[in-house]
Amino acid sequence: DKGEFRHYMLKEIYEQPKVIAACLEGRISDDRILTSCFGADSAFLKDIENIHIVACGTSYHAGMVAKYWIEDLANIPCTVEVASEYRYRKVAIPKNTLFLTLSQSGETADTLAALRMAKELNYLTTLAICNVPSSTLVRESDLTLLTNAGAEIGVASTKAFTTQLTALLITSIAIASEKGELSAEKQKALVTALRSLPAYVDAAIKQDEAIKLVSEQFANKHNALFLGRGPMFPIALEGALKLKEISYIHAEAYPAGELKHGPLALVDETMPIITVAPNNQMLDKLKSNLQEVRARGGELFVFGAKETGFEQAEGIHYNEIPWVEEILEPIVHTIPLQLLSYHVAVVKGTDVDQPRNLAKSVTVE
Ligand code: F6R
């Protein structure tokens, strides 16, 4: 039931504060992650020396964000690969490697095949972060962390993605703590930030009307370029995927530092450039990347906190999103990109919940 909403996708975007809270429920105390959420025996967390993440599509983008968190917080090497590639190659597996899959449906053919292959190989254990408790992936994995997002009907994944990120942050903090890489004080600060996450996401959704206005500028565009740096690069990839899927506008994403190595050649007055600005030490570098784009006539659409210092100007459309702790930026900054692609699709009149050529669950190769 769509209730008051015109499309399932919009309903699911608006459900995010509630389902992120459901994903956190029972997994955190006031000051730490409750490792019992990984099952009765969470001793494996201490043994992890490497992580291989395997997934498809939007779930793969969530894995790409997790790599930044895991290497930063837990100091453990982490690789991320799409399941359709992983399953057909010989993989080198270092000692004590965790095999981690991500899937909304738990029925994606390539992800299941990758898990079955991994179970024959020398992994420490297999963990699935999944939204469907009764799925094949959950049944066949050694360990499961459910995302608790509730049924997702819109083909374009929204709440499944942000709850995957929430579950991945829980996992990253738990591993870091068990490996002795995280002080009690730092863990408490991270958990306190996590507690505020539903309220931050709610505040980001409140920008809906402003983003709807911006979306009108995209109706007659044929291409778009998304830029991000650090953990915001996978968010740029996810923003581009959403726009492609439901509005059929060709969109690409690059880490902003790669511009000069090729994509800058594409930039002219007809090219909108969308960027989510982090408020960290990479901000100045991002700003100089954006100046290069402006100098070639590219029109900028910037989403960022007030603290980033962006303002409306000639050729710069600035939309404010609330300030959040740096670790949460990938989750909260996803919201404006979801809303943007949604409103662009509505303006273009495409079938938002059932985009052409796509199925909700890809159960064949
Ligand atoms: C994009 C989208 C797909 C899925 C992909 C994997 O909006 O929904 O890219 O993310 O097909 O599906 P799951 O997560 O069910 O394994």
Side-chain angles (χ1 to χ4, degrees):
D1 179 22
K2 292 195 284 264
E4 65 191 282
F5 295 98
R6 187 163 160 203
H7 296 99
Y8 280 109
M9 182 181 178
L10 191 62
K11 172 175 177 262
E12 288 160 1
I13 290 173
Y14 272 74
E15 274 172 3
Q16 288 175 113
K18 192 181 77 193
V19 296
I20 288 171
C23 181
L24 291 169
E25 176 74 40
R27 275 96 186 248
I28 53 176
S29 72
D30 281 345
D31 54 4
R32 62 187 181 88
I33 303 295
L34 301 172
T35 51
S36 55
C37 68
F38 296 97
D41 186 7
S42 55
F44 75 98
L45 293 167
K46 268 194 193 57
D47 298 331
I48 300 171
E49 288 176 47
N50 265 279
I51 301 185
H52 287 175
I53 300 180
V54 175
C56 301
T58 288
S59 297
Y60 167 67
H61 294 155
M64 287 179 76
V65 174
K67 177 187 166 79
Y68 287 90
W69 288 335
I70 288 164
E71 299 212 353
D72 178 22
L73 297 173
N75 196 26
I76 289 177
C78 175
T79 66
V80 191
E81 190 168 359
V82 286
S84 55
E85 286 299 312
Y86 175 92
R87 65 179 287 196
Y88 289 116
R89 70 182 186 88
K90 182 170 176 295
V91 182
I93 306 164
K95 185 161 103 343
N96 287 329
T97 300
L98 170 71
F99 181 80
L100 171 54
T101 54
L102 298 162
S103 177
Q104 188 287 125
S105 61
E107 303 298 344
T108 301
D110 284 320
T111 307
L112 286 174
L115 171 67
R116 286 169 188 156
M117 179 173 124
K119 292 196 80 171
E120 301 300 315
L121 300 171
N122 202 17
Y123 281 101
L124 176 67
T125 189
T126 60
L127 169 64
I129 291 182
C130 187
N131 193 38
V132 180
S134 58
S135 63
T136 313
L137 193 74
V138 167
R139 226 169 32 241
E140 296 190 11
S141 298
D142 297 319
L143 302 160
T144 306
L145 186 61
L146 293 172
T147 46
N148 296 339
E152 191 181 63
I153 310 289
V155 165
S157 188
T158 52
K159 62 176 182 169
F161 179 67
T162 49
T163 50
Q164 279 173 343
L165 290 176
T166 306
L168 284 164
L169 189 48
I170 289 171
T171 307
S172 307
I173 298 169
I175 297 171
S177 159
E178 293 298 307
K179 299 292 291 181
E181 292 284 334
L182 206 58
S183 68
E185 195 188 356
K186 178 99 191 279
Q187 180 164 197
K188 183 170 183 189
L190 290 167
V191 168
T192 304
L194 268 175
R195 284 199 178 283
S196 306
L197 184 56
Y200 289 145
V201 170
D202 194 46
I205 292 173
K206 296 232 156 65
Q207 300 300 312
D208 193 9
E209 278 303 312
I211 293 169
K212 187 173 167 191
L213 283 177
V214 170
S215 69
E216 283 159 21
Q217 317 234 12
F218 284 77
N220 51 10
K221 300 285 190 223
H222 298 287
N223 298 285
L225 191 58
F226 286 72
L227 298 177
R229 297 194 74 121
M232 235 41 96
F233 166 52
I235 299 308
L237 282 169
E238 175 59 12
L241 179 63
K242 289 285 94 92
L243 195 67
K244 278 185 268 211
E245 278 184 297
I246 59 168
S247 73
Y248 314 145
I249 293 174
H250 169 229
E252 290 195 66
Y254 275 94
E258 275 289 292
L259 268 177
K260 277 199 179 71
H261 302 286
L264 203 50
L266 291 171
V267 175
D268 63 14
E269 316 68 61
T270 66
M271 178 70 94
I273 288 102
I274 300 109
T275 165
V276 273
N279 191 14
N280 62 17
Q281 77 283 3
M282 297 309 284
L283 181 63
D284 287 337
K285 288 207 187 299
L286 180 76
K287 283 187 171 170
S288 73
N289 299 142
L290 294 182
Q291 258 158 22
E292 288 164 352
V293 168
R294 255 325 278 149
R296 274 120 194 128
E299 212 172 326
L300 293 176
F301 295 83
V302 181
F303 299 93
K306 217 175 26 236
E307 290 76 1
T308 57
F310 281 100
E311 282 171 5
Q312 294 287 3
E314 172 75 22
I316 305 181
H317 307 265
Y318 167 64
N319 274 82
E320 188 183 329
I321 37 181
W323 175 92
V324 298
E325 284 83 354
E326 194 178 334
I327 195 88
L328 301 180
E329 282 182 337
I331 306 176
V332 178
H333 290 202
T334 295
I335 310 298
L337 302 188
Q338 293 172 342
L339 287 167
L340 181 70
S341 63
Y342 172 75
H343 289 298
V344 173
V346 170
V347 171
K348 293 197 70 176
T350 56
D351 189 343
V352 172
D353 286 331
Q354 285 286 330
R356 68 187 183 201
N357 309 341
L358 298 177
K360 179 66 186 160
S361 185
V362 186
T363 54
V364 290
E365 204 179 321

